[in-house]
Amino acid sequence: MQVSVETSTGLERRLTITVPAASIDTAVKSRLQQLAKTQRINGFRPGKVPVNVIKKRYGQAVRQEIAGEVMQQNFYQAITQEKITPAGMPSFEMKTDEDGKDLEFVAAFEVYPEVEVKNVDKITVEQPVVEISDSDLSDMMDTLRKQHADYKEVKRKIKKDDKVTMDFVGTIDGEEFDGGKAEDFELEMGKDRMIPGFEKPIVGAKTGDEVIAEVTFPEDYHAEALKGKEAKFTITIKKTEQLNLPKVDEDFAKLFGIEDGNIDALNDEVRKNMQRELDQTLKASVKEQVINGLLENNEIDLPKSLVEQEINVLREQAKQRFSQQQGGNIDNMPELPANLFEENARKRVSIGLLLGEVIKSNDIKVDAAKVDALIATAASAYEDPQEVIEYYKSNDELTQQMNNVALEEQAVEVLLDQAKVKEVKKKFDEIMNKQA
């Protein structure tokens, strides 16, 4: 086998590979002899068909089959010989394929870029310092109470936290429009579900009242015909319900797994969960800043094949999400265009290559203790953490996923040690509300 390597453009490479005629012809002859033993042809006994008859009938197909196998085998031998690592599958172009002549073909493919991580000291990171106050805990308890609240009908003026059942009719220049009418519509006030101005005349009204809301549809409204239009809604109030928050008592504590109903134990559990979510959010924020800084300071060439692979992954994930929303039916879903995913795909490929180089150049090995900590953190959100931990450790695929997460976090920590880090005091709701 003879091999010549040519750099075409950028990361593209072309291998011209020549395989001696003798090895091809021998392989073809052997395959034809095997066929002669198994083929049934009229006029010949089974297993007694002359090879020249088999060659006449199947020779071309057999040679194509052998050529395909030879190209695959010799391609992998060639890249091993030349110490080349392809970034994707090759495309083959046959140059010469005739009886008695050397087989010559070209394999075109891309290689991984040479990655050098630079300017890590130019990465700037704002590291929030946050403490969970008693006020934060109180606010969280109020949130939990609202999640377990119910509504009770009242006969009074409507307040901003009430639930209102209504009929309404919308008009533009005196004419009704599509989608502007509803009956027995339930609206939880203060949730910003409706366009600005809709709720204003409702607050202070009472059951049986009819009020007019004058609104202007936003310029970015989803319905093209309504963008920027002024409209009037005639609203008839049919029922007003008040939000009833449960008391923080033994029964409330038991809703959260505190079997003895101890309120102090409930507060401790809620604070612990708040701290876990806060820690995860802060870690994600710092990681995002480090990675964005890494990308900004290190531009690299990307193999098209890797980007295309990542686009396909993102496209498939989008299909699966859509499938779940549609109850598993994606038969009528059109093929999503690649440009929807290209930017994100390029970013993900860049991150993978850069972090891979950080791991390689710093000889980072998986920290078993970090893997255990990651699994424990994930398990802590479940009722029986130990059962979840054992499940992770008994599942090779999940364990490998956690190993990859640990390696990535270790690489980010190496970068963070070299970056410019500034600690900034923040409030709990400032961080968590931004995350939401």
Side-chain angles (χ1 to χ4, degrees):
M1 178 184 69
Q2 295 180 348
V3 181
S4 65
V5 184
E6 174 190 353
T7 300
S8 46
T9 57
L11 301 174
E12 294 180 2
R13 300 290 184 273
R14 289 171 62 87
L15 290 184
T16 300
I17 300 172
T18 304
V19 182
S23 63
I24 305 297
D25 294 342
T26 300
V28 171
K29 183 178 180 180
S30 175
R31 187 71 53 87
L32 290 172
Q33 288 172 343
Q34 292 173 9
L35 277 175
K37 296 176 182 179
T38 60
Q39 294 303 303
R40 293 181 177 274
I41 296 178
N42 291 336
F44 298 97
R45 285 181 298 159
K48 298 297 183 179
V49 182
V51 173
N52 64 326
V53 174
I54 292 293
K55 182 176 181 181
K56 185 176 180 181
R57 177 171 292 194
Y58 300 109
Q60 189 61 36
V62 167
R63 187 170 184 88
Q64 288 178 355
E65 185 178 288
I66 294 293
E69 295 172 3
V70 166
M71 285 192 293
Q72 291 283 352
Q73 293 167 0
N74 283 267
F75 169 72
Y76 289 114
Q77 291 176 15
I79 60 175
T80 301
Q81 173 183 307
E82 301 296 325
K83 296 181 173 57
I84 298 173
T85 304
M89 294 301 294
S91 63
F92 294 118
E93 178 188 355
M94 185 67 72
K95 290 294 187 181
T96 304
D97 181 22
E98 298 177 23
D99 287 350
K101 290 187 177 181
D102 293 346
L103 184 146
E104 184 180 72
F105 68 95
V106 174
F109 56 94
E110 291 179 294
V111 296
Y112 286 92
E114 292 186 9
V115 179
E116 180 186 359
V117 177
K118 301 178 293 185
N119 303 318
V120 178
D121 58 338
K122 293 183 180 179
I123 298 174
T124 58
V125 176
E126 184 180 272
Q127 192 161 38
V129 178
V130 185
E131 291 185 5
I132 299 175
S133 67
D134 291 341
S135 175
D136 295 326
L137 178 61
S138 178
D139 290 342
M140 182 58 70
M141 294 300 291
D142 285 343
T143 299
L144 295 175
R145 291 172 68 201
K146 288 178 182 178
Q147 291 173 355
H148 291 80
D150 57 16
Y151 285 94
K152 182 179 180 181
E153 186 171 0
V154 292
K155 303 293 183 182
R156 58 158 172 75
K157 291 183 177 180
I158 296 169
K159 297 180 181 179
K160 64 178 182 178
D161 291 329
D162 291 337
K163 181 167 73 173
V164 181
T165 302
M166 66 186 79
D167 296 340
F168 63 78
V169 178
T171 59
I172 295 177
D173 297 330
E175 298 289 333
E176 293 185 23
F177 57 89
D178 290 341
K181 184 177 182 178
E183 294 182 354
D184 294 327
F185 182 80
E186 291 186 349
L187 176 63
E188 293 181 26
M189 302 289 287
K191 300 290 182 66
D192 294 328
R193 285 178 54 194
M194 308 300 281
I195 59 177
F198 186 91
E199 294 185 13
K200 185 176 180 181
I202 299 175
V203 176
K206 58 184 182 299
T207 301
D209 286 354
E210 183 177 281
V211 297
I212 304 294
E214 297 184 357
V215 303
T216 301
F217 283 93
E219 293 292 343
D220 60 353
Y221 194 68
H222 62 84
E224 188 68 32
L226 300 179
K227 289 181 177 180
K229 294 292 181 67
E230 294 182 355
K232 288 184 179 181
F233 284 91
T234 301
I235 304 167
T236 303
I237 310 299
K238 301 179 77 172
K239 184 166 67 172
T240 304
E241 295 174 276
Q242 174 181 288
L243 183 68
N244 286 327
L245 298 175
K247 292 181 180 179
V248 181
D249 54 17
E250 289 186 8
D251 290 337
F252 185 73
K254 288 178 180 178
L255 292 173
F256 297 91
I258 309 300
E259 294 181 3
D260 62 0
N262 186 284
I263 304 304
D264 289 337
L266 173 63
N267 286 330
D268 289 343
E269 185 66 21
V270 171
R271 186 184 285 273
K272 184 172 70 174
N273 290 338
M274 291 171 67
Q275 187 67 56
R276 183 182 68 247
E277 292 180 10
L278 174 63
D279 290 343
Q280 291 175 346
T281 301
L282 293 178
K283 181 191 287 186
S285 172
V286 169
K287 178 181 176 181
E288 182 180 14
Q289 293 178 71
V290 170
I291 287 177
N292 286 340
L294 184 66
L295 292 172
E296 289 169 6
N297 289 283
N298 291 273
E299 188 173 343
I300 56 176
D301 290 334
L302 301 179
K304 295 176 185 176
S305 52
L306 292 186
V307 174
E308 288 170 359
Q309 289 174 25
E310 198 63 36
I311 286 173
N312 290 332
V313 169
L314 293 171
R315 183 189 275 129
E316 189 59 32
Q317 290 173 353
K319 282 184 180 180
Q320 294 303 320
R321 288 194 298 271
F322 183 80
S323 173
Q324 292 170 1
Q325 294 167 4
Q326 301 299 315
N329 182 18
I330 57 174
D331 293 340
N332 297 322
M333 184 177 178
E335 182 74 355
L336 297 171
N339 59 7
L340 286 178
F341 308 101
E342 184 172 0
E343 183 179 353
N344 196 13
R346 292 183 67 84
K347 181 176 180 180
R348 287 172 55 146
V349 172
S350 296
I351 291 170
L353 292 172
L354 288 167
L355 288 182
E357 178 58 27
V358 173
I359 292 167
K360 178 183 174 183
S361 60
N362 290 276
D363 195 26
I364 300 174
K365 307 297 183 186
V366 176
D367 184 341
K370 179 174 280 291
V371 174
D372 289 342
L374 286 168
I375 294 174
T377 299
S380 65
Y382 292 85
E383 186 175 347
D384 188 347
Q386 188 57 41
E387 182 180 350
V388 177
I389 290 171
E390 291 173 2
Y391 178 72
Y392 263 87
K393 292 191 174 182
S394 66
N395 187 304
D396 291 340
E397 185 177 348
L398 289 176
T399 300
Q400 186 57 51
Q401 287 178 9
M402 280 302 185
N403 286 344
N404 293 338
V405 172
L407 267 179
E408 189 173 282
E409 288 197 0
Q410 290 171 242
V412 169
E413 288 168 4
V414 168
L415 295 170
L416 188 61
D417 286 341
Q418 303 173 55
K420 296 176 182 176
V421 181
K422 179 182 178 183
E423 291 189 347
V424 180
K425 285 189 175 182
K426 297 278 187 178
K427 294 181 179 180
F428 177 82
D429 63 346
E430 199 177 350
I431 295 296
M432 300 309 292
N433 287 342
K434 179 182 178 182
Q435 176 71 7

